[in-house]
Amino acid sequence: ADRRLNGDFFAYRVDGELLIKHLDELDGVGVIATAENSSFKPKTKVYSDIEDFEVIGKVVWTGTVL
């Protein structure tokens, strides 16, 4: 329902590859994807030609104690 790209984690497909990253919309530019892994420096990629870009959905994590 809510498909705004606001920095949350999203699953998306680009050029046939399935990825999960933080996504933000940049007005007039496209979509910026940021990989976040505490073991590495954050990596960022800008997708300005989003013809082959599909947001699948927002990633939700839930944890429980067994």
Side-chain angles (χ1 to χ4, degrees):
D2 183 7
R3 288 291 184 119
R4 288 177 290 158
L5 306 179
N6 58 4
D8 289 329
F9 277 108
F10 288 88
Y12 67 99
R13 183 182 351 266
V14 64
D15 296 328
E17 187 176 8
L18 185 62
L19 301 161
I20 296 176
K21 302 201 185 311
H22 288 282
L23 294 182
D24 281 295
E25 291 182 76
L26 294 174
D27 291 335
V29 177
V31 176
I32 185 168
T34 305
E36 192 172 304
N37 181 331
S38 59
S39 299
F40 301 95
K41 209 167 107 176
K43 294 180 184 176
T44 302
K45 180 165 182 167
V46 176
Y47 296 101
S48 54
D49 179 17
I50 56 174
E51 184 175 307
D52 189 24
F53 186 95
E54 174 190 11
V55 175
I56 296 166
K58 188 173 178 179
V59 175
V60 179
W61 179 86
T62 232
T64 186
V65 177
L66 297 175

